[in-house]
């Protein structure tokens, strides 16, 4: 049994991961500040299944408050691996509030790394994003593509800065690091700001779906439990290896065009979509498309879930959650 500190534990991916790590026999120390980006009640609900577990503890902490705040608020219990998912997520809002994103995602990460150094914890799984590839033309995206001038949103810049910080701590202090670039994660508990969640709500309300651009933009949608499986494998890898510094894509290797996605969501809720074309939004990339061979080779990562099955799981969860059954 290992002890895992999980930041962003109350969020969409974090809460699924907490359940998986507990299932794998680990102890989970969860940390989250209930960032108001979306409703706290949803995040508390995300945590419900873990809260009664004997190997789970939770601490409401804001990473922006500094290393000393972490020292004061976190127990002195041993931690084997830190999984750092806490971040302000979302491209659009980062264009409107760049400083808030950098403060949260870069400074917050710096405080966490310093806390780890002070506690002599040298194993880190860092959640990065496909957005760091920007509009890189070479597809599928490989991890070794040069990215110094690729970012087209402050969110992407904050994630690439995070990767650079973890590289710095690997160099200075020998931290073992896996940076994982997630690709449009969807499924039960998905953030309400994300496309699939919004589309289901709009279709059911009889409203038109806003299509930004001509509908040909594409995303490598990855089902949340596939992403979580990749993270859990990453944790095991960190627990059993030393001298690690790797950057991996955790995607699905199957980009889906926006118009295809809208049609698939329509089929999942039995509503014929009505479309409303709008200009592209600033900061949005054209295509994301992961080459996952490195994650496959290193971790045995192999996403399993088809878009149709993943959308059905999402819709079932939304229905149950709206009826307060969860
Ligand atoms: N969902 C995706 O498609 C996707 C894609 C690429 C990368 N990511 C990354 O994966 C991670 C998890 O994303 P998610 O979709 O679950 O988002 P989420 O917003 O549901 O979860 C993030 C959690 O971090 C917490 N948090 C934010 N700032 C914090 C702070 N300063 N201190 C403590 N906690 C803080 C939030 O309250 C939230 O619960 C993020 O780092 C995100 O950037 C997500």
């Amino acid at each position: 049994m290992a002890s895992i500190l999980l930041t962003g534990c109350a969020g969409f991916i974090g809460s699924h991961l907490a359940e998986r790590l507990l299932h794998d026999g680990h102890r989970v120390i969860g940390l989250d500040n209930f960032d108001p980006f979306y409703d706290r009640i949803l995040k508390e609900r995300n945590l419900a299944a873990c809260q009664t577990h004997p190997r789970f503890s939770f601490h409401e902490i804001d990473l922006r408050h500094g290393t000393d705040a972490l020292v004061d608020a976190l127990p002195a219990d041993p931690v084997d691996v830190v999984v750092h998912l806490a971040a302000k997520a979302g491209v659009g809002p980062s264009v409107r509030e760049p400083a808030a994103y950098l403060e949260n995602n870069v400074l917050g990460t710096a405080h966490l790394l310093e806390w780890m150094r002070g506690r002599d914890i040298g194993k880190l799984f860092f959640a990065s994003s496909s957005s760091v590839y920007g509009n890189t033309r070479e597809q599928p995206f490989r991890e070794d593509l040069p990215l110094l001038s690729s970012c087209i949103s402050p969110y992407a810049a904050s994630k690439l800065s995070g990767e650079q910080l973890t590289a710095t701590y690997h160099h200075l202090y020998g931290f073992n690091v896996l940076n994982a670039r997630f690709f449009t994660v969807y499924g039960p508990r998905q953030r309400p700001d994300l496309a699939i969640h919004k589309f289901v709500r709009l279709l059911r309300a009889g409203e038109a779906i806003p299509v930004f651009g001509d509908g040909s933009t594409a995303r490598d949608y990855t089902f949340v439990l596939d992403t979580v499986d990749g993270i859990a494998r990453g944790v095991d890898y960190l627990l059993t290896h030393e001298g690690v510094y790797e950057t991996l894509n955790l995607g699905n290797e199957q980009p889906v065009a926006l118009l295809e996605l809208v049609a698939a969501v329509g089929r999942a809720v039995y509503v014929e979509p009505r479309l409303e074309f709008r200009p592209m939004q600033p900061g949005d990339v054209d295509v994301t498309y992961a080459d996952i061979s490195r994650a496959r080779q290193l971790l045995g990562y192999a996403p399993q879930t088809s878009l149709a099955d993943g959308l059905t799981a999402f819709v079932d969860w939304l229905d149950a959650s709206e009826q307060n059954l969860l």
Side-chain angles (χ1 to χ4, degrees):
M1 177 182 81
S3 190
I4 317 294
L5 178 78
L6 172 54
T7 79
C9 177
F12 162 43
I13 302 171
S15 58
H16 283 289
L17 178 64
E19 287 171 29
R20 166 67 187 265
L21 293 172
L22 291 168
H23 177 265
D24 287 354
H26 299 307
R27 177 166 175 252
V28 176
I29 304 164
L31 176 166
D32 205 292
N33 73 339
F34 296 103
D35 182 279
F37 185 51
Y38 62 94
D39 201 333
R40 179 186 178 115
I41 291 169
L42 297 177
K43 296 185 185 181
E44 283 175 349
R45 220 187 275 175
N46 289 345
L47 284 179
C50 295
Q51 286 288 21
T52 52
H53 198 288
R55 279 184 275 106
F56 181 77
S57 61
F58 181 77
H59 305 270
E60 186 168 342
I61 301 173
D62 192 324
L63 291 175
R64 291 171 300 187
H65 292 168
T67 306
D68 289 346
L70 284 170
V71 172
D72 292 345
L74 283 172
D77 308 4
V79 171
D80 300 300
V81 175
V82 173
V83 180
H84 180 32
L85 303 186
K88 274 190 185 292
V91 167
S94 81
V95 175
R96 295 186 286 278
E97 289 181 273
Y101 273 68
L102 293 172
E103 182 194 17
N104 203 76
N105 298 359
V106 184
L107 206 56
T109 299
H111 292 319
L112 179 70
L113 290 168
E114 271 301 280
W115 173 80
M116 289 176 65
R117 187 176 67 80
R119 286 279 309 271
D120 209 13
I121 301 163
K123 297 200 170 196
L124 173 68
F125 185 104
F126 173 66
S128 185
S129 160
S130 61
S131 63
V132 299
Y133 292 108
N135 280 329
T136 301
R137 291 287 155 213
E138 211 178 307
Q139 291 162 9
F141 298 150
R142 274 199 346 266
E143 293 89 343
D144 54 4
L145 286 167
L147 297 180
L148 259 185
S149 50
S150 58
C151 294
I152 63 166
S153 69
Y155 169 69
S158 77
K159 286 291 168 181
L160 196 58
S161 304
E163 290 187 18
Q164 287 169 343
L165 272 176
T166 66
T168 306
Y169 274 65
H170 173 70
H171 172 81
L172 287 176
Y173 310 115
F175 273 34
N176 292 273
V177 177
L178 288 180
N179 296 312
R181 295 172 180 161
F182 301 161
F183 283 67
T184 319
V185 188
Y186 74 100
R189 303 182 193 159
Q190 189 191 35
R191 299 195 329 254
D193 61 300
L194 290 173
I196 292 170
H197 202 141
K198 272 202 299 213
F199 291 173
V200 171
R201 279 201 315 268
L202 290 169
L203 286 171
R204 286 185 160 167
E207 291 178 35
I209 302 287
V211 174
F212 296 102
D214 63 3
S216 66
T217 58
R219 295 287 178 274
D220 199 355
Y221 293 100
T222 311
F223 188 63
V224 63
L225 296 185
D226 288 328
T227 307
V228 160
D229 185 61
I231 306 172
R233 286 168 183 272
V235 167
D236 287 345
Y237 187 86
L238 284 164
L239 286 169
T240 50
H241 292 76
E242 294 295 332
V244 179
Y245 189 85
E246 296 281 352
T247 299
L248 305 169
N249 291 330
L250 292 183
N252 198 41
E253 233 170 19
Q254 287 179 41
V256 177
L258 181 53
L259 288 182
E260 254 182 87
L261 174 77
V262 172
V265 175
R267 284 194 294 277
V269 294
Y270 305 98
V271 177
E272 187 63 39
R274 205 159 42 82
L275 308 179
E276 199 174 272
F277 287 89
R278 298 198 189 155
M280 283 280 285
Q281 292 182 299
D284 269 351
V285 302
D286 298 333
V287 173
T288 64
Y289 181 3
D291 177 331
I292 58 171
S293 42
R294 192 182 278 185
R296 192 183 284 125
Q297 186 191 11
L298 204 74
L299 308 178
Y301 170 70
Q304 303 288 329
T305 314
S306 70
L307 184 66
D309 287 351
L311 289 175
T312 302
F314 172 74
V315 171
D316 288 350
W317 165 79
L318 194 65
D319 288 345
S321 117
E322 279 170 359
Q323 291 161 32
N324 256 339
L325 293 177
L326 288 182

